[in-house]
């Protein structure tokens, strides 16, 4: 009985040591993967116009994105859509503000329409990104690049409407702040879509 108990204890100790070793290996692998994923985000963001802002925006999604250009492009499209929808809501609210000057009201209405178009273009891009049949990969990527570029142009058009000296003050500052956020996200998305498009050339 004593011998059996001894071997049982040895077996239990071996199992404990094995489990501990396995857990340490898994933790080490997770840390390594996390570092690799974060490095992928950093390298991807270094190719954008605003690398620091890009990294702070996407680094929290590193474990989800891993090192996949497709997932990065897709995540960027979704984040851009959310940002653009938020901007659209804010601009709509601003356009209904009391006491707007005629030039402000006209410029705001143009912005509302431009950003609404951007929402549609980003939505179409997301749908095309998820499509696996029909058009070739190159053609799908070309369409997405075209739509994201169009969204970027819409943002420029909106901002340009407030560049005249006849429009100043809080309305102009609010619009600029809102559109800047959308513009940053759109620029990241275009860079990431371009990168993903190049992976199968």
């Amino acid at each position: 009985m004593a011998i059996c108990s001894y071997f049982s204890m040895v077996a239990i100790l071996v199992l404990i040591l094995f489990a501990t070793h396995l857990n340490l290996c898994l933790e080490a692998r997770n840390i390594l993967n996390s570092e690799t994923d974060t490095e992928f985000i950093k390298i991807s963001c270094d190719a954008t116009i605003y690398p620091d802002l890009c990294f702070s925006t996407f680094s929290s999604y590193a474990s989800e994105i891993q090192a996949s250009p497709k997932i990065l492009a897709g995540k960027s499209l979704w984040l851009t859509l959310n940002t653009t929808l938020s901007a659209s809501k804010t601009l709509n609210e601003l356009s209904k503000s009391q006491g707007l000057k005629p030039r402000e009201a006209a410029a705001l209405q143009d912005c509302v329409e431009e950003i609404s178009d951007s929402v549609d273009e980003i939505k179409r891009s997301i749908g095309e990104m998820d499509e696996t049949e029909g058009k070739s990969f190159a053609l799908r990527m070309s369409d997405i690049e075209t739509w994201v570029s169009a969204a970027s142009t819409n943002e420029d058009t909106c901002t340009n409407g407030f560049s005249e000296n006849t429009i100043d003050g809080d309305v102009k500052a609010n619009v600029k702040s809102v559109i800047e956020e959308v513009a940053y996200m759109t620029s990241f998305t275009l860079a990431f879509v371009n990168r993903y498009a190049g992976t199968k050339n």
Side-chain angles (χ1 to χ4, degrees):
M1 289 292 293
I3 294 175
C4 289
S5 297
Y6 172 77
F7 281 111
S8 295
M9 289 182 63
V10 170
I12 291 170
L13 285 172
V14 169
L15 286 173
I16 291 172
L17 289 172
F18 176 76
T20 302
H21 177 72
L22 182 61
N23 285 334
L24 289 173
C25 288
L26 289 173
E27 288 177 11
R29 188 176 69 176
N30 288 337
I31 291 171
L32 183 61
N33 287 343
S34 177
E35 291 176 350
T36 302
D37 298 341
T38 303
E39 184 63 20
F40 172 75
I41 299 296
K42 186 179 185 308
I43 291 171
S44 300
C45 285
D46 282 346
T48 67
I49 301 175
Y50 310 100
D52 292 339
L53 177 60
C54 174
F55 184 75
S56 67
T57 301
F58 289 92
S59 58
S60 60
Y61 302 101
S63 61
E64 177 185 348
I65 293 168
Q66 298 179 359
S68 168
K70 179 179 181 179
I71 296 176
L72 177 58
K75 172 58 72 174
S76 186
L77 280 168
W78 275 107
L79 292 177
T80 300
L81 176 60
N82 290 337
T83 304
T84 308
L85 284 169
S86 178
S88 179
K89 180 181 178 181
T90 300
L91 292 171
N92 265 298
E93 291 171 351
L94 284 172
S95 70
K96 297 172 184 175
S97 300
Q98 298 295 320
L100 290 175
K101 298 174 184 177
R103 288 290 303 163
E104 291 175 335
L108 265 171
Q109 189 55 46
D110 287 343
C111 275
V112 167
E113 294 173 3
E114 295 290 344
I115 299 305
S116 178
D117 288 343
S118 293
V119 169
D120 291 338
E121 285 150 358
I122 299 301
K123 283 182 176 178
R124 292 174 71 185
S125 298
I126 290 172
E128 198 74 354
M129 180 70 75
D130 293 336
E131 187 60 55
T132 57
E133 299 179 359
K135 292 183 286 187
S136 68
F137 174 81
L139 187 55
R140 283 192 291 113
M141 290 300 103
S142 177
D143 285 343
I144 293 171
E145 289 168 345
T146 298
W147 293 328
V148 176
S149 294
S152 180
T153 300
N154 293 337
E155 293 142 23
D156 290 339
T157 302
C158 172
T159 303
N160 290 339
F162 283 86
S163 62
E164 297 183 18
N165 293 329
T166 53
I167 301 176
D168 205 350
D170 292 341
V171 174
K172 184 176 182 178
N174 287 338
V175 170
K176 181 181 179 182
S177 175
V178 168
I179 296 303
E180 274 186 350
E181 290 185 28
V182 180
Y184 291 144
M185 290 306 306
T186 306
S187 70
F188 299 150
T189 297
L190 190 56
F192 297 152
V193 168
N194 286 337
R195 179 174 183 177
Y196 175 49
T199 62
K200 296 188 179 181
N201 285 345

